[in-house]
Amino acid sequence: MTRPSGDSAIFILTGAGISAESGVETFRDKGGIWSKVRLEDVATPEGFARDPDKVHAFYNARRAGLSSALPNPAHRALARLERDFPGRLTLVTQNIDDLHERAGSNDVVHMHGELSRSLCGHCGAKADASAALSTATACHACGREGGMRPDVVWFGEMPYRMDEIYERLVEADLFVSIGTSGAVYPAAGFVAEARSAGIRTLELNLEPSEGTFLFDEARHGPATALVPAFVEAVLAGVPAAGRPR
Ligand code: NAD
């Protein structure tokens, strides 16, 4: 058995499925968030302009719910990988929760922003937002009210740090997609990007995602079982995704 080398690089993308067993609702699963509210109403700039109170209520409820959610063994396994993997690990999440950080991951790229941060629509200043936001919340930087929003990326907006993400992706030897339906671009396109760069690809998801056929290997089951087993194998030097191409 060969130990992982300091030259190898793993790129991991996580989605709502990794937080599902922590009690955080996913979006597209049966009974998920999009079966209860319209994404056009709460996750677009137009929805916010139409009814900011409704959008604040939606995110305030999710922020409050997060305080009772705890990181699960899948989050903790990825924190262990960050600590013990001798190569380069990139962890990009579509999740706006902070469960990776609370599990001990120090270097997480939140491509869709963070529920625990606010963004001022007037001056662009960002700040910690542990409490509820409203149209009366004043910006700490410009002092104006009425423009405060959660620092989350809505449909029609550009995800964060995309140049850096693509640079890190094409440098990797292995791309792993965890708990994501593969329905939201640009993240849904990472597997095709990785394939065209000759990078091995592995899916870990409860069920086959929309793009499951694009992966070299797919393992299906709960993240709390699949991710710790994957991390254990990587740290033991077992090749992670079946057929190298
Ligand atoms: P999604 O709801 O579209 O898909 C979730 C996927 O996770 C599904 O394929 C499902 O089969 C899988 N899944 C469900 N339970 C699982 C489990 N226990 N173990 C492993 N996999 C499981 O979510 P997505 O793909 O992340 O969608 C992307 C969008 O959803 C992003 O915009 C993201 O910001 C947003 N989102 C974030 C959160 C969060 O912060 N926790 C929650 C919901 C949605």
Side-chain angles (χ1 to χ4, degrees), residues 167-180:
E167 268 170 35
R168 301 275 285 264
L169 178 59
V170 297
E171 283 170 13
D173 306 298
L174 174 67
F175 168 72
V176 189
S177 173
I178 302 173
T180 175

Side-chain angles (χ1 to χ4, degrees), residues 15-17 19-21 24-29 33 62 94-97 112 179-182 184 205-207 221-223:
S19 297
E21 290 164 87
V24 180
E25 284 181 298
T26 60
F27 270 165
R28 286 172 188 74
D29 289 312
I33 295 171
R62 298 190 67 207
Q94 298 167 90
N95 295 347
I96 58 175
D97 68 51
H112 290 167
T180 175
S181 59
V184 177
N205 204 52
L206 191 60
E207 58 197 11

Side-chain angles (χ1 to χ4, degrees), residues 2-238:
T2 49
R3 293 276 153 191
S5 97
D7 299 333
S8 52
I10 299 177
F11 183 111
I12 293 180
L13 171 71
T14 64
I18 197 168
S19 297
E21 290 164 87
S22 294
V24 180
E25 284 181 298
T26 60
F27 270 165
R28 286 172 188 74
D29 289 312
K30 195 161 173 276
I33 295 171
W34 294 151
S35 67
K36 298 171 197 157
V37 288
R38 282 164 26 103
L39 76 81
E40 295 83 352
D41 290 341
V42 297
T44 61
E46 296 78 15
F48 185 59
R50 261 194 317 271
D51 192 345
D53 292 330
K54 179 176 192 162
V55 175
H56 280 308
F58 174 75
Y59 290 99
N60 288 341
R62 298 190 67 207
R63 190 181 299 105
L66 206 52
S67 60
S68 57
L70 294 173
N72 67 47
H75 298 106
R76 287 200 293 275
L78 294 184
R80 177 182 171 214
L81 191 62
E82 180 188 90
R83 196 181 62 235
D84 294 347
F85 181 58
R88 187 169 196 202
L89 179 73
T90 301
L91 176 55
V92 175
T93 188
Q94 298 167 90
N95 295 347
I96 58 175
D97 68 51
D98 60 354
L99 295 176
H100 282 305
E101 286 86 350
R102 284 201 266 145
S105 288
N106 294 308
D107 190 3
V108 185
V109 178
H110 281 271
M111 63 179 289
H112 290 167
E114 293 170 76
L115 201 48
S116 60
R117 305 272 296 163
S118 65
L119 167 65
C120 175
H122 296 306
C123 73
K126 298 189 181 198
D128 284 334
S130 49
L133 298 177
S134 77
T135 50
T137 307
C139 173
H140 74 284
C142 71
R144 291 163 73 185
E145 294 178 1
M148 200 56 75
R149 55 173 278 185
D151 185 19
V152 301
V153 176
W154 287 325
F155 288 91
E157 296 180 326
M158 181 59 81
Y160 294 149
R161 298 171 67 177
M162 289 310 296
D163 289 349
E164 183 190 343
I165 287 173
Y166 282 121
E167 268 170 35
R168 301 275 285 264
L169 178 59
V170 297
E171 283 170 13
D173 306 298
L174 174 67
F175 168 72
V176 189
S177 173
I178 302 173
T180 175
S181 59
V184 177
Y185 282 83
F190 290 175
V191 59
E193 201 72 40
R195 277 179 74 89
S196 62
I199 297 161
R200 287 176 299 140
T201 55
L202 170 66
E203 169 171 274
L204 304 178
N205 204 52
L206 191 60
E207 58 197 11
S209 69
E210 289 185 21
T212 195
F213 63 93
L214 292 168
F215 287 84
D216 292 316
E217 187 185 344
R219 301 175 195 163
H220 297 131
T224 53
L226 295 182
V227 180
F230 160 74
V231 168
E232 194 66 51
V234 167
L235 294 178
V238 177

